[in-house]
């Protein structure tokens, strides 16, 4: 199933987003509701809170006194961390149980205020962040929830910053407008990205772009690095338990600042042995992360010309997300193909003249080839000379893969 984490600062409107997603057909698990469940009378979590924060946090009828607990933890970071250490594991376990109830081909939404703070976003296919400025949120908390202004500001300050949330946001929903505008944005997200993404996952189909070079190759975009960082982090988290991965790196043209490129994030996954990529657990980890193996693409063009193709073997996967096209190249660590992917990136980053020469070649070929496939194939002769110049640069500078 497609896993979507919805988060935002208190008072941002994330609950409105989750409710609308539920109306559209998503299976929604609300972390706040789960958090209330795990502190009900008789739950071991409530007893641990009583022991840590005192009898005053529990009312005479045995229920949690939320106001008393909030007064203790929100002004005190250490106390808040201690509460999270008590409630976090219990909430996670209960939420996981609820999410397993979602249909396998559907959309599972986790409405989680601390998705960023706890690093849980790396386990979601997409992180949706709902945003509103601090003063708007304070007004909402005071006017709609009856909080005091100081209390509202303490709660906001205790959460992640807007910048921290934006860094992990695959989708940023601005809730500074009307409720109707927010609902319209959620509807567009559902129909244009979430449902197609879920369909690709269910059918094990990678997202594809039109084979029109002029539509795909674009001028440098400022979001490429941030998108790549999220892809790298998620792949590292998904593949880590398999114990075969040496590193996950952003490579290709989008990893070179200032270089026009296909709007596709290329990522290299290094493995100890290429055969490890064929293990059932590794393939399952890729599939769970939203990546599909592509048949018929098992090697790079060998360099120099005439080199043994076996040394340039790889596995290739495409991402299922129609809103962020990703290609994953699995190569054996220290193989010529693995080394060249890192060398080519670093060479172009450190040699602006070579980067500009490559950009000129790209523009020339775009004028000759209408399709992306034709454009990609036509670049190969240029790469032979580039390999030679990059190799000479590596020897001259003492470059080594990192």
């Amino acid at each position: 199933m497609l896993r979507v984490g919805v988060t935002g600062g208190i008072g941002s409107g994330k609950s409105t987003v989750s409710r609308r997603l539920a109306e559209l057909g998503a299976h929604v698990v609300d972390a706040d509701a789960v958090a209330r469940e795990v502190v009900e009378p008789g739950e071991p979590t409530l007893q641990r809170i009583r022991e840590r924060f005192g009898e005053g946090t529990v009312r005479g009828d045995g229920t949690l006194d939320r106001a008393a607990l909030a007064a203790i933890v929100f002004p005190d970071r250490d106390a808040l961390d201690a509460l999270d250490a008590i409630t976090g594991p219990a909430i996670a376990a209960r939420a996981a149980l609820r999410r397993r109830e979602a249909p396998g081909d559907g959309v599972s939404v986790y409405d989680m205020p601390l998705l960023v703070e706890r690093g849980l976003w790396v386990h979601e296919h997409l992180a949706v962040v709902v945003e509103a400025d601090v003063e708007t949120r304070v007004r909402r908390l005071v006017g709609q929830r009856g909080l005091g202004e100081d209390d509202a500001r303490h709660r906001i300050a205790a959460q992640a910053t807007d910048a921290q949330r934006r860094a992990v946001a695959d989708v940023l929903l601005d809730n500074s407008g009307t409720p109707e505008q927010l609902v319209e944005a959620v509807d567009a997200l559902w129909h244009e990205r979430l449902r197609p993404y879920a369909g690709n996952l269910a059918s094990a189909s990678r997202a594809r772009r039109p084979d029109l070079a002029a539509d795909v190759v674009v001028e440098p975009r400022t979001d490429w690095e941030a998108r790549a960082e999220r892809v790298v982090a998620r792949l590292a988290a998904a593949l880590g338990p398999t114990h075969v991965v040496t590193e996950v790196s952003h490579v290709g043209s989008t990893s070179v600042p200032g270089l026009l490129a296909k709007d596709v994030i290329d990522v290299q996954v290094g493995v100890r042995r290429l055969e490890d990529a064929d293990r059932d657990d590794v393939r399952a980890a890729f599939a769970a992360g939203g990546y599909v193996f592509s048949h018929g693409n098992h090697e790079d063009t060998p360099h120099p010309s005439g080199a043994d193709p076996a040394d340039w073997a790889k596995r290739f996967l495409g991402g299922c997300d129609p809103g962020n096209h990703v290609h994953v190249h699995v190569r054996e660590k220290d193989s010529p193909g693995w080394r060249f992917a890192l060398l080519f990136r670093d060479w172009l980053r450190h040699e602006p003249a070579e980067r500009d020469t490559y950009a000129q070649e790209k523009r020339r070929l775009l004028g000759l080839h209408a399709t992306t496939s034709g454009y990609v194939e036509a670049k190969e002769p240029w790469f032979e000379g580039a390999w030679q110049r990059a190799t000479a640069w590596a020897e001259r500078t003492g470059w080594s893969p990192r």
Side-chain angles (χ1 to χ4, degrees):
M1 71 187 77
L2 178 67
R3 301 185 304 276
V4 180
V6 175
T7 194
I10 184 172
S12 63
K14 65 178 181 57
S15 296
T16 300
V17 170
S18 295
R19 280 196 300 272
R20 182 55 182 167
L21 288 172
E23 291 169 356
L24 291 168
H27 179 274
V28 177
V29 174
D30 183 344
D32 285 340
V34 173
R36 289 191 290 273
E37 289 180 17
V38 301
V39 294
E40 290 177 351
E43 291 282 350
T45 304
L46 180 60
Q47 180 57 31
R48 292 185 63 195
I49 290 173
R50 184 202 301 265
E51 293 169 356
R52 172 61 177 79
F53 297 103
E55 293 293 332
T57 58
V58 178
R59 298 189 182 95
D61 62 0
T63 60
L64 178 66
D65 189 331
R66 297 180 182 280
L69 182 61
I72 294 171
V73 301
F74 282 112
D76 184 341
R77 169 57 67 178
D78 290 339
L80 184 59
D81 289 344
L83 178 62
D84 285 344
I86 292 171
T87 60
I91 294 171
R94 190 74 58 89
L97 183 64
R98 296 283 185 272
R99 297 190 80 179
R100 285 197 289 272
E101 298 169 356
D105 61 350
V107 178
S108 170
V109 171
Y110 191 26
D111 182 333
M112 175 55 164
L114 302 180
L115 195 75
V116 176
E117 290 88 334
R118 291 184 177 160
L120 299 176
W121 65 272
V122 299
H123 304 299
E124 306 294 322
H125 291 109
L126 289 176
V128 177
V129 172
V130 188
E131 189 173 81
D133 66 81
V134 170
E135 295 308 315
T136 297
R137 291 160 58 195
V138 170
R139 287 197 300 273
R140 289 173 179 167
L141 293 172
V142 172
Q144 299 173 14
R145 300 196 192 181
L147 298 181
E149 183 173 337
D150 288 344
D151 186 15
R153 293 188 185 278
H154 276 310
R155 295 187 184 214
I156 290 172
Q159 295 182 325
T161 65
D162 288 343
Q164 289 170 324
R165 291 193 191 92
R166 288 178 194 142
V168 307
D170 301 288
V171 178
L172 188 64
L173 295 177
D174 180 5
N175 189 23
S176 59
T178 66
E180 292 76 17
Q181 288 173 323
L182 181 61
V183 168
E184 287 176 6
V186 175
D187 288 357
L189 172 64
W190 176 261
H191 293 293
E192 296 171 11
R193 191 167 185 180
L194 301 189
R195 283 306 310 165
Y197 195 167
N200 287 341
L201 283 173
S203 63
S205 303
R206 65 187 180 99
R208 293 183 179 274
R209 307 203 63 153
D211 192 23
L212 297 174
D215 292 339
V216 176
V217 180
V218 299
E219 293 298 321
R221 291 186 50 160
T222 58
D223 67 344
W224 279 338
E225 191 57 37
R227 283 162 53 189
E229 287 177 356
R230 293 193 291 272
V231 170
V232 166
R234 287 188 171 112
L235 276 170
L239 295 168
T242 66
H243 304 294
V244 303
V245 174
T246 61
E247 96 291 334
V248 184
S249 305
H250 183 201
V251 296
S253 292
T254 59
S255 69
V256 181
L259 181 62
L260 80 163
K262 299 193 303 298
D263 188 16
V264 175
I265 302 300
D266 282 285
V267 173
Q268 174 168 269
V269 174
V271 292
R272 293 180 178 84
R273 298 181 310 120
L274 189 56
E275 294 78 9
D276 289 338
D278 300 323
R279 282 176 20 185
D280 289 344
D281 61 329
V282 176
R283 284 181 169 264
F286 273 120
Y291 296 94
V292 178
F293 277 84
S294 179
H295 300 289
N297 189 348
H298 294 307
E299 66 181 39
D300 296 305
T301 301
H303 297 290
S305 180
D308 186 354
D311 292 336
W312 291 76
K314 70 174 182 180
R315 302 291 183 268
F316 176 81
L317 302 92
C320 298
D321 181 3
N324 184 27
H325 291 265
V326 178
H327 291 168
V328 179
H329 310 263
V330 183
R331 299 183 175 104
E332 189 169 300
K333 184 179 186 294
D334 295 326
S335 69
W338 174 86
R339 184 179 187 277
F340 184 51
L342 299 174
L343 169 59
F344 187 71
R345 177 198 66 189
D346 293 351
W347 174 57
L348 293 183
R349 284 178 174 178
H350 287 86
E351 295 292 322
E354 293 287 2
R355 178 200 63 197
D356 294 343
T357 297
Y358 186 30
Q360 290 171 10
E361 178 67 4
K362 284 178 176 237
R363 289 191 171 93
R364 184 184 75 83
L365 294 174
L366 283 171
L368 299 175
H369 300 276
T371 65
T372 304
S373 53
Y375 159 78
V376 170
E377 184 177 351
K379 288 193 298 180
E380 284 303 332
W382 183 88
F383 271 98
E384 178 67 17
W387 180 86
Q388 295 172 358
R389 296 195 302 279
T391 299
W393 174 82
E395 293 174 352
R396 186 172 63 252
T397 61
W399 174 90
S400 62
R402 290 182 177 82

